[in-house]
Amino acid sequence: MQVRGAPLIGVAGVYGVALAMRMDASNDLLDAACAALCETRPTAVNLRRRVDQVRDVLIDLKPEARAERALQLAHQIAEEEVGLSQRIAAHGLALFEKAWHRKGERGRLEVLTHCNAGWLATVDWGTALAPVYLAHQKGIPVHVWVDETRPRNQGYLTAWELRQEGVPHTLIVDNAGGHLMQKGEVDLCIVGTDRTTAFGDVCNKVGTYLKALAAHDNKVPFYVAAPSSSIDWKIRDGMTEIPIEEREATEVHELSTNDAQGRRSVRVTPEGVNAKNYAFDVTPARLVSALVTERGVCPATAEGLLSLFPEGHR
Amino acid sequence: MQVRGAPLIGVAGVYGVALAMRMDASNDLLDAACAALCETRPTAVNLRRRVDQVRDVLIDLKPEARAERALQLAHQIAEEEVGLSQRIAAHGLALFEKAWHRKGERGRLEVLTHCNAGWLATVDWGTALAPVYLAHQKGIPVHVWVDETRPRNQGYLTAWELRQEGVPHTLIVDNAGGHLMQKGEVDLCIVGTDRTTAFGDVCNKVGTYLKALAAHDNKVPFYVAAPSSSIDWKIRDGMTEIPIEEREATEVHELSTNDAQGRRSVRVTPEGVNAKNYAFDVTPARLVSALVTERGVCPATAEGLLSLFPEGHR
């Protein structure tokens, strides 16, 4: 958990392979490094996808050529992720413009997001936050409701990022989003994804499913910013086919604080109490209004995804 | 916020009237005290209900008789709330037994609750937790998933209470309940209510609505323990007719911890970030499987409530 955010995890994994190849560029270490890196985070597919992509190139090269090529590929993949984010920003902007127009261009465009899918989770720009930044730059008065996102409080990161970019925002606890949607205080939701199935199910930070249910119940569009690096074409059903990472209960028991006394953990549960910590949940495709990919916006269906990514058939 | 839990707030309010009458039993102070007490907490109806009940008796008495009568009434209402909890326990037990039977009496009966509606929120027993305690006493192997319930972390209280009673339980963040229901790890949900409308809408701690949506989506029964003291017969539509208390943003920014260094507040959000803190939300009757009252279990409808409380017509 030193690196977080599916796209950034993928890029970091590739740099990890490059580092391993500087130590020892044998087939054995190549395979061992790839396997070890992929095991660190079971849910996000970007990691496996990117590591496999690099391994497939390196395995056909002579060992002495691997270290340099691995580093080249890592730089190239990092640049590619920046490009994906920029194109997601552009395609997402069209959705934001439509929502703003539908609202009569009055007041603020109220956006709700969960977790952090901004530049702290990618190489630059972000996925879910990329269209937020672009809409803000284009003069749409965006305001973001930032879910706290227990237990790791990634809302802290999102609020911090938005502040750096000058985007108005308000932090709320994870329990509050449903009430806001009931009261008409949310015009659209947008979140990232750690893994998207070929049929449009979305696995993202735990709690995403609850917000998707509330959006559906209140007819609020629920968008998922899904770079193709997050799509796992091999699986259809997110509920049964995606392993959900279970993390240390410590994350529930302890919270980080950073004040005048410095950064430290404090206990927030009674001593002796058990806790469980499931890190992700699956939002079924039926609750997703649209996927925002680098090639455009599509319905969260197999047909929708294949219309933009015909190569997904392979 | 020295007193919490709708039933306990109601009882505390009545003792507040009794104290006021000891100071000055005039009509003026009686009205001023009742008004001031009711204004402290706008959402729960028990407070207004109980204070009005006592005021209606006292106003017809001579001032010199009021202080003693007020205290008698307070004791009587406290006892009455204990009786309500015990009868809710008995009627709720039938639902727990049915769920346990439906499960083939194997494993554990998995119950999810939000906030704290146990004896810390009432005079004794509790509302939502009353059937849990009784089922546990009757030998049903109940296990409770305890929602953390940000921002005030009332899950701390629930976990602590359950531990005192020896009921197995696991604390989870508010984001996790949907995932558990998707995975079949919850057999039933039960929560309390701060105000129930004549048509069965339920206003309870913020986030309750999200769990009700997840229960509905996964066909998990969602029960609300609703003593008649929580029913507001004058209103129908919870969404438009119940004022939602907005509390200090400090509750979102700061968290209480209680460890070796003692009880203190720590900051958990970045400096300079805005936060909003809505304390309750409304769960529409359509998402409530049944209401558990002191007179029995009924559908969350006007007809259901009137079948048990025909006097609600008045």
Side-chain angles (χ1 to χ4, degrees):
Chain A
M1 287 301 297
Q2 296 298 311
V3 178
R4 52 158 294 284
L8 190 57
I9 289 170
V11 172
V14 171
Y15 278 101
V17 176
L19 276 173
M21 291 302 93
R22 279 171 65 173
M23 292 160 53
D24 167 4
S26 68
N27 284 3
D28 281 359
L29 189 71
L30 178 58
D31 285 341
C34 290
L37 285 161
C38 288
E39 269 168 31
T40 56
R41 302 294 296 276
T43 300
V45 76
N46 307 57
L47 176 60
R48 207 187 62 210
R49 161 80 39 82
R50 294 305 199 180
V51 165
D52 283 354
Q53 180 185 344
V54 169
R55 186 199 166 278
D56 288 351
V57 174
L58 298 185
I59 200 74
D60 293 334
L61 300 181
K62 285 184 188 136
E64 55 272 28
R66 286 176 181 167
E68 194 188 333
R69 183 78 179 114
L71 192 60
Q72 272 178 1
L73 284 169
H75 293 334
Q76 183 183 316
I77 286 169
E79 282 306 309
E80 194 183 310
E81 284 289 351
V82 176
L84 295 181
S85 286
Q86 285 171 331
R87 291 195 291 281
I88 283 173
H91 294 302
L93 176 65
L95 297 173
F96 280 50
E97 285 172 336
K98 205 167 72 181
W100 180 230
H101 183 72
R102 199 166 50 226
K103 203 181 180 175
E105 306 190 3
R106 272 191 300 270
R108 307 186 295 192
L109 182 68
E110 301 285 354
V111 174
L112 183 141
T113 194
H114 191 69
C115 199
N116 173 264
W119 37 262
L120 289 168
T122 59
V123 184
D124 202 358
W125 282 84
T127 54
L129 292 186
V132 170
Y133 293 139
L134 191 55
H136 175 72
Q137 286 176 13
K138 297 281 181 188
I140 297 177
V142 182
H143 168 263
V144 183
W145 295 105
V146 179
D147 274 0
E148 180 179 46
T149 319
R150 287 281 292 142
R152 290 188 72 93
N153 294 33
Q154 286 92 343
Y156 189 110
L157 305 177
T158 296
W160 183 85
E161 251 193 50
L162 290 168
R163 199 165 181 222
Q164 308 304 309
E165 300 285 339
V167 180
H169 58 280
T170 304
L171 195 82
I172 48 171
V173 295
D174 300 307
N175 285 321
H179 172 69
L180 289 173
M181 291 191 232
Q182 286 179 309
K183 289 288 183 186
E185 299 283 341
V186 180
D187 297 313
L188 66 89
C189 301
I190 189 162
V191 298
T193 167
D194 289 82
R195 196 186 302 206
T196 312
T197 75
F199 278 46
D201 288 349
V202 168
C203 184
N204 191 46
K205 180 56 34 65
V206 72
T208 300
Y209 166 56
L210 294 171
K211 295 303 143 65
L213 284 168
H216 190 260
D217 199 43
N218 294 286
K219 300 186 176 55
V220 173
F222 191 88
Y223 299 123
V224 177
S228 60
S229 58
S230 81
I231 304 170
D232 187 345
W233 294 103
K234 291 189 216 120
I235 63 173
R236 298 175 164 210
D237 178 20
M239 279 303 299
T240 56
E241 297 183 83
I242 301 178
I244 300 295
E245 184 177 347
E246 194 182 334
R247 294 192 186 143
E248 294 289 324
T250 320
E251 295 187 357
V252 178
H253 291 306
E254 294 179 2
L255 238 165
S256 281
T257 178
N258 192 3
D259 57 18
Q261 294 169 259
R263 192 161 185 87
R264 64 198 192 286
S265 283
V266 295
R267 175 101 190 184
V268 294
T269 62
E271 286 297 326
V273 161
N274 286 328
K276 281 273 199 183
N277 183 16
Y278 303 96
F280 302 92
D281 63 20
V282 171
T283 299
R286 67 185 149 86
L287 300 176
V288 177
S289 307
L291 298 170
V292 187
T293 79
E294 71 272 21
R295 292 199 195 156
V297 175
C298 72
T301 59
E303 299 70 33
L305 280 166
L306 287 172
S307 71
L308 296 179
F309 299 95
E311 71 273 28
H313 257 310
R314 286 178 308 190
Chain B
M1 287 301 297
Q2 295 299 310
V3 178
R4 54 156 294 282
L8 191 57
I9 288 170
V11 172
V14 172
Y15 278 101
V17 176
L19 276 172
M21 293 301 92
R22 279 171 64 175
M23 290 160 54
D24 167 4
S26 67
N27 284 4
D28 281 359
L29 189 71
L30 177 58
D31 285 340
C34 291
L37 284 160
C38 288
E39 268 167 32
T40 56
R41 303 293 296 275
T43 300
V45 76
N46 307 56
L47 176 60
R48 206 186 63 209
R49 161 80 38 84
R50 293 306 198 180
V51 166
D52 283 354
Q53 181 185 344
V54 170
R55 186 200 167 278
D56 288 351
V57 174
L58 299 184
I59 199 73
D60 293 335
L61 300 181
K62 285 185 189 135
E64 55 272 28
R66 286 176 182 166
E68 195 187 332
R69 183 74 178 117
L71 192 61
Q72 272 177 2
L73 285 170
H75 292 333
Q76 183 183 315
I77 286 169
E79 281 308 306
E80 194 183 310
E81 284 289 349
V82 176
L84 296 181
S85 285
Q86 284 171 332
R87 292 195 291 280
I88 283 173
H91 294 302
L93 176 66
L95 297 174
F96 281 50
E97 285 172 336
K98 204 167 74 181
W100 179 230
H101 184 72
R102 198 167 50 225
K103 202 179 180 174
E105 306 191 0
R106 273 190 301 270
R108 308 187 295 192
L109 182 68
E110 300 285 355
V111 175
L112 183 140
T113 195
H114 190 70
C115 199
N116 172 265
W119 35 263
L120 289 168
T122 58
V123 184
D124 202 359
W125 283 84
T127 54
L129 292 186
V132 170
Y133 294 138
L134 191 56
H136 175 72
Q137 286 176 14
K138 298 281 182 189
I140 297 178
V142 181
H143 168 263
V144 183
W145 295 105
V146 179
D147 274 359
E148 181 179 46
T149 319
R150 286 281 291 145
R152 290 188 73 93
N153 292 33
Q154 286 92 343
Y156 189 110
L157 305 177
T158 297
W160 182 85
E161 253 194 47
L162 290 168
R163 197 163 184 224
Q164 307 305 309
E165 300 285 338
V167 180
H169 58 280
T170 304
L171 194 81
I172 49 172
V173 295
D174 300 306
N175 285 320
H179 172 70
L180 289 173
M181 290 190 231
Q182 286 180 310
K183 289 287 183 186
E185 299 284 342
V186 180
D187 297 313
L188 65 89
C189 301
I190 190 162
V191 298
T193 168
D194 288 83
R195 195 186 304 205
T196 313
T197 75
F199 278 46
D201 289 348
V202 168
C203 184
N204 190 46
K205 180 56 34 67
V206 71
T208 300
Y209 166 57
L210 294 171
K211 294 303 141 63
L213 284 169
H216 189 259
D217 199 44
N218 294 286
K219 300 185 176 58
V220 173
F222 191 88
Y223 299 123
V224 177
S228 60
S229 57
S230 80
I231 304 170
D232 187 344
W233 295 103
K234 291 188 217 121
I235 62 172
R236 299 175 163 208
D237 178 19
M239 279 302 299
T240 57
E241 297 183 84
I242 301 177
I244 300 295
E245 184 177 346
E246 193 183 334
R247 293 191 186 143
E248 293 291 322
T250 320
E251 295 186 358
V252 178
H253 291 306
E254 294 179 3
L255 239 165
S256 281
T257 178
N258 192 4
D259 57 18
Q261 294 170 259
R263 192 161 186 87
R264 65 198 190 286
S265 283
V266 295
R267 174 100 190 186
V268 294
T269 61
E271 286 297 326
V273 161
N274 286 328
K276 281 275 199 181
N277 183 16
Y278 303 96
F280 302 92
D281 63 20
V282 171
T283 299
R286 67 184 149 87
L287 300 176
V288 177
S289 307
L291 297 171
V292 187
T293 79
E294 71 271 20
R295 291 198 195 155
V297 174
C298 73
T301 60
E303 299 70 34
L305 279 166
L306 287 172
S307 72
L308 297 179
F309 300 94
E311 70 273 29
H313 257 310
R314 285 178 307 187

